[in-house]
Amino acid sequence: MICIEDLWKRYRGHDPVRGISFSVPEGSTYALIGANGAGKTTTLKILMNILEPTSGSATVLGTDSRRISRRELNRIGYVSENQQMPERLTIEEYFNYLRPFYMRWDRQLESSLRTQLRLPATRRIGELSHGMRMKMALACALPFRPDILILDEPFSGLDPLVCDEVREGVLGQAGETTLLMSTHELGEVESIATHVAFLEEGKLLFDEPMEQLHKRFRAVRIAFDHAAHMPQEPFPDWFELAADGNTLQFIDSRFAEQLSRERLNARFHGIRSIEAEPVPLRTIFTTLARAVRNAV
Amino acid sequence: MIWHIFKKDFRLRWPYGLAVATAQFAIVAVHLKLGVFERQRIFSAVLLVLEIMMDMGVAVLIATIVHEDSIVGMRQDWLVRPIRRRDLIAAKLLFLLLAVQVPMLLAALIGGLANGFALWLSLSAALSQNAYFLIGFTLPIFAFASLTRSTSEALGVAFMIGVGSIMGLNVLILPLTGSPLGPTSNTGLAWIPLTFRFAIYFVASLAILVLQYLRRATRASWLVLAASVAICLFSALIPWKVVFGLQKAIAPASVAAQSIAIRFDPAAGQLQSATPAFSVRNPVISGGDQRNEMNEDTILHLPLVFTGIPAGSILKVDRTVARLTGPSTTREQIVSAMGDPGDFEVPNDDPRTSEPPPVDEILHVRGSVYTRLKDAPVTLQLDYSVTLLNLSSTHSIPAVNGDLSIDGLGHCETRLNDSRTDVDLICLDIGNTSQCTTALLQDPATGLHNPPLHDCRDDYAPYFGRYQPPDTLVLRGVDFDFRDPSGLIHYPVNESTVNGAHVLIKNYSVAGHFTMHLTVPTIRLAEWSAQWQTRSTVDNGVR
């Protein structure tokens, strides 16, 4: 559905996107995560042909992003945290305006979304709060049943109730739509993302299915018979090592149940027990982000 | 989808569009209320305010319509919608046509008809005004607005471009040509560089609109804008010779021009004070060279005799380029390399003589040049660009409370002024007006008349329905003195005969343009100069 290859963007003397490559499978919910300024929004804007890439390629629905036309835009929904809609139009007027542009606008779906998201028909867009605007943008992106829904920071700055409404709106009505969302609200996407890609300073650090990611990241806690010491030469896939009393803790980014235990037993003596716990996405994100920054 | 997008813009901005359209009709209403004599001065101020408001209002309206779906920026919702960009530009253009151009056309047409002008005249003037405004204002503002994100940004950048252009004209063009708008400014040929600039506006506007709306190539669009501003700026440097050559090529050739000759005639006498003699022969002096008024130039008076001018015709000198060759054979140029605006006319309209009387041509010589060469024998080379004007019609209107429609002048009325010292003649015309007009106050019983007044409209533009912004209506007027309150001057037509007097009006039209050359072999400047002075202009009441 979406394929990005060696994508670069140079903008005002710096490179917000530096040679990233990934692809979004059909039907997936793909989370593009990264800190502010990591290049997530730039990547999504290139996909929508709002920005032109400096080099490399981005294809959406089989079409080069630079050639995206009405036909593709009829199949792509886009929601951004700072989307500028006509402030002086009312919600009703804006829906009336958008409807004729789409080949397959489902008025029933529109109606159900507007009810679900509690959008007041007569309110001007300029008078809406940030949360209401996000809901409005979402409600405008779904009724034509897009094949791809691109969400740029959809949960940013929203209170928990609105977050839930947006998430339910997306999941409840998106159906078979392929979702690509950029976010740093990791808690919000953890339960819905099937794939995740991690961008840091314009570079892609990894791109893999969520299940696989959760499998390989583990918070490892080793209890020793004696006082624990920091290893002289830790493995490069260990992060955030800490020794405290008899225990050594770290995040293992290449954890494999049997193999890892054998490797630890070979490396350390006096191991009393090894515990390996799954790591939340947020911890994975912060661990990797810190590691990259420390390396720089 | 064009109509659909238009409706959205209309819903958002109809009050603003209505206000701008109303302002246009209000201008017409105020014009009607004013009448030809503008008795109620208060309305003149209202009219001026309305015209400024209308231009500003149109500019802001265009900007707001464009910024409803801004091209510049990355956050606009329309960018991610299946909206055809050519539909968007067409919708914006449609809005501007319906909200700005059509009301303007209707207002001008109604204004012409309401003032008693024929449908064809009113329509042609309204169409001219509309085309002028579309190419010179609406489209450029539309294109410019598409380069900016918001109206405030557009205003800021426009202000900077305006200041930059004024500085460029004064720093680059003024020193080279003697005028910030180049050698053709304030001459009948000004329409040629103006038309060239309008062509640039048109091409640049289209290029920017295509680049912006179809490609969102903002950087390339800014380059087009910068290039077009530079070209317009430097269009002021188009040499006079080139422009006059073009004017000659498109104007009808005049056979009569071949018989016209000029000679330097020392026998006509030396003058030590230019103003009285000059003012009698050439009573209307307008648009003088302000630069010379400020500098301490020395004024030369060259007695010239023109022969071969057909009876009833006027020879109008558009420009004189004069060169002095000193004893060291080094070429010196008088005043500026581009020449002096001639701006004097040689009428041959006195039925008592076959040739016009001698003329004193005034030339301005820089103080430093004069000081160096005043007593040395020098050769003077003069190149004239001239226009022959033939009498096209003669009309007579009663001097008091006259009311007559005259071809080329429009609807004319006469009245005595409040202090009963002069007769006011005011004409309201639309579109094409007469090129030159001579008018005099005459007693039909005796044939005696007061000094004639002469006025030429400096515009040789060939296109129909010429339009001088901001209105399609042209108001021209002349005051004929018949009583001097100080009692020093006695007029042939005076307060005792003015009630039975007529204003005799002669209209002239262009018969051809050509050049003439004169060499004055050896003269001493000191013999033909007036005292060091600041030139004064004569205002005899012609407006």
Side-chain angles (χ1 to χ4, degrees), chain B residues 489-510:
Chain B
I489 303 172
H490 297 281
Y491 292 94
V493 177
N494 51 39
E495 59 265 47
S496 63
T497 55
V498 72
N499 283 326
H502 276 68
V503 174
L504 188 69
I505 300 166
K506 294 178 181 176
N507 284 336
Y508 297 85
S509 55
V510 173

Side-chain angles (χ1 to χ4, degrees), chain B residues 332-448:
Chain B
E332 301 275 5
Q333 291 182 334
I334 292 177
V335 182
S336 76
M338 305 304 290
D340 241 356
D343 200 26
F344 70 92
E345 288 116 33
V346 187
N348 186 19
D349 57 355
D350 189 342
R352 293 168 297 181
T353 57
S354 60
E355 297 288 350
V359 172
D360 291 309
E361 181 176 5
I362 291 182
L363 292 176
H364 296 260
V365 184
R366 276 194 215 100
S368 56
V369 175
Y370 177 80
T371 307
R372 190 149 37 88
L373 298 174
K374 63 179 180 179
D375 295 318
V378 292
T379 302
L380 184 60
Q381 309 267 354
L382 295 144
D383 289 302
Y384 295 96
S385 302
V386 296
T387 298
L388 184 66
L389 298 149
N390 283 348
L391 182 66
S392 56
S393 62
T394 304
H395 310 271
S396 178
I397 177 172
V400 181
N401 300 327
D403 189 339
L404 185 68
S405 281
I406 300 172
D407 277 351
L409 286 180
H411 176 70
C412 299
E413 291 181 24
T414 57
R415 68 164 189 186
L416 290 179
N417 70 342
D418 293 341
S419 53
R420 300 182 68 81
T421 55
D422 62 48
V423 168
D424 296 345
L425 167 72
I426 304 277
C427 297
L428 183 71
D429 203 2
I430 193 165
N432 284 312
T433 57
S434 167
Q435 186 57 242
C436 283
T437 300
T438 297
L440 52 84
L441 199 56
Q442 187 180 44
D443 183 351
T446 61
L448 294 172

